[in-house]
Amino acid sequence: MRRQGRGWIGWLAVVLIVITGTGIYASTDIWATTPEPEPLPDHLSKASQALYRSAAEGNRQVVYQQVQQLRQKAAHPQIRSKGQAEGWKEVDVMLGELTAGLQGASSVHELRLASARLSLAFDALSGGHEAAWRSYYPLIREDLSRLAKAWHRQTADYATAALAVTRGMREHYQMIEAAALFQQNPGLVRELDTSLQYIAVQLETAERDQQRYASVTRSIQSLSGTVDRLFQTPVDSMPDPAIIIDRGKMPLRFIFMLAFLIVAVLLYAGWQRFKYDRERFTKA
């Protein structure tokens, strides 16, 4: 009986060695044929930050190369599955404009602004509630405060001053537009832009017709609510972050070995239990 048990264990050991050895070669083949890992949102964020630094330094040749590399990374299907589709449309437009600007006569300031917008956009893909574009909320709230003060002040140029603030506020909006489109409802994002354009038209008219005071005041109050909804609405469209397994820390052969040992122990325990029950039944 003991000989049979020892023989059975020996047979398991032989099979284990064979499977483990096979696992070693299988793991080598799998890792050798595994394609390059797809770019992650963090990769895009780091690449866009490097692009911003190069743009700030005014190195147009390096910036051009980095833009092309960024476009290649951003075209990966796995990356495109993250964030809102409207955000990707805006990013594609920005990348195209940046390329055209590099081939044209865009200034260092224009290149820096464009690269900053891209950096904010790609940060939004993985930033969640902590995305950098959300830090613009206090700035835009300050714009709103300045707009209201300019509109209500008792000077002849109140409409002109309010219009200047509105244009500056729209520049701030344009900085975060693509980032917000990645995370928020596109209609809510576009609503802010539409409201700013509408107020600008009202203020241009108010410069010639000062009888629209109440209408512009209501528009400013409505704009305030739009800003709050845009920044305070919870992010519910971002996918959960992917769980990345470091395969280098868990070789495939070890997985084979561990699984086989577990199965072997269970089989042996079950066989011993069956043999014990059979012998007890025979004696009875």
Side-chain angles (χ1 to χ4, degrees):
M1 184 185 304
R2 291 181 180 178
R3 289 180 180 178
Q4 291 178 349
R6 287 195 296 267
W8 190 82
I9 294 174
W11 177 81
L12 280 178
V14 172
V15 174
L16 175 61
I17 293 172
V18 173
I19 291 182
T20 303
T22 304
I24 294 174
Y25 291 107
S27 63
T28 303
D29 292 339
I30 290 174
W31 304 149
T33 58
T34 299
E36 289 295 322
E38 68 273 4
L40 299 171
D42 286 345
H43 297 166
L44 288 178
S45 181
K46 291 177 181 178
S48 61
Q49 290 170 15
L51 172 64
Y52 176 79
R53 290 192 293 270
S54 299
E57 294 169 359
N59 194 330
R60 300 176 74 91
Q61 183 176 358
V62 173
V63 171
Y64 184 84
Q65 294 174 350
Q66 290 176 327
V67 169
Q68 303 315 308
Q69 293 172 0
L70 198 56
R71 295 183 77 165
Q72 185 177 5
K73 291 178 182 293
H76 198 285
Q78 195 73 14
I79 281 290
R80 289 277 167 159
S81 66
K82 304 180 185 300
Q84 302 269 34
E86 288 295 325
W88 283 113
K89 291 179 182 178
E90 187 66 25
V91 163
D92 288 337
V93 171
M94 290 162 55
L95 286 169
E97 291 177 348
L98 188 52
T99 300
L102 287 165
Q103 295 171 341
S106 294
S107 65
V108 173
H109 175 70
E110 290 171 332
L111 294 177
R112 187 167 64 247
L113 286 178
S115 59
R117 292 176 64 199
L118 278 173
S119 182
L120 287 170
F122 289 132
D123 173 78
L125 281 178
S126 57
H129 286 284
E130 303 300 325
W133 74 272
R134 292 180 173 275
S135 65
Y136 273 66
Y137 181 54
L139 178 61
I140 294 182
R141 287 299 312 177
E142 178 61 24
D143 289 338
L144 278 167
S145 177
R146 292 173 54 234
L147 174 59
K149 290 177 180 178
W151 177 246
H152 293 301
R153 73 184 187 181
Q154 302 299 316
T155 58
D157 64 342
Y158 69 95
T160 302
L163 182 59
V165 175
T166 302
R167 289 170 177 165
M169 187 175 176
R170 190 155 189 267
E171 290 178 359
H172 291 155
Y173 161 78
Q174 289 172 339
M175 285 294 296
I176 66 170
E177 181 181 19
L181 284 170
F182 268 138
Q183 290 193 338
Q184 299 291 48
N185 185 300
L188 185 58
V189 179
R190 301 300 187 191
E191 182 182 346
L192 178 55
D193 187 30
T194 302
S195 298
L196 286 169
Q197 293 184 53
Y198 179 65
I199 288 179
V201 172
Q202 284 184 304
L203 292 172
E204 289 171 354
T205 306
E207 288 187 87
R208 297 184 295 272
D209 178 10
Q210 298 184 4
Q211 303 302 316
R212 301 192 178 185
Y213 184 86
S215 176
V216 174
T217 300
R218 288 194 298 270
S219 295
I220 294 175
Q221 292 172 348
S222 176
L223 177 63
S224 178
T226 300
V227 169
D228 289 341
R229 289 195 302 275
L230 177 64
F231 283 91
Q232 295 178 0
T233 300
V235 179
D236 56 5
S237 58
M238 291 294 292
D240 293 333
I243 298 175
I244 304 172
I245 299 176
D246 187 353
R247 293 178 297 189
K249 296 181 180 179
M250 183 68 73
L252 188 61
R253 61 181 180 274
F254 179 77
I255 297 174
F256 272 113
M257 184 186 302
L258 183 61
F260 188 81
L261 281 174
I262 293 172
V263 173
V265 170
L266 292 175
L267 285 175
Y268 181 70
W271 177 73
Q272 289 282 27
R273 179 65 182 178
F274 170 76
K275 185 175 64 172
Y276 171 77
D277 291 342
R278 185 182 60 181
E279 291 177 352
R280 187 176 61 177
F281 177 77
T282 301
K283 291 179 180 179

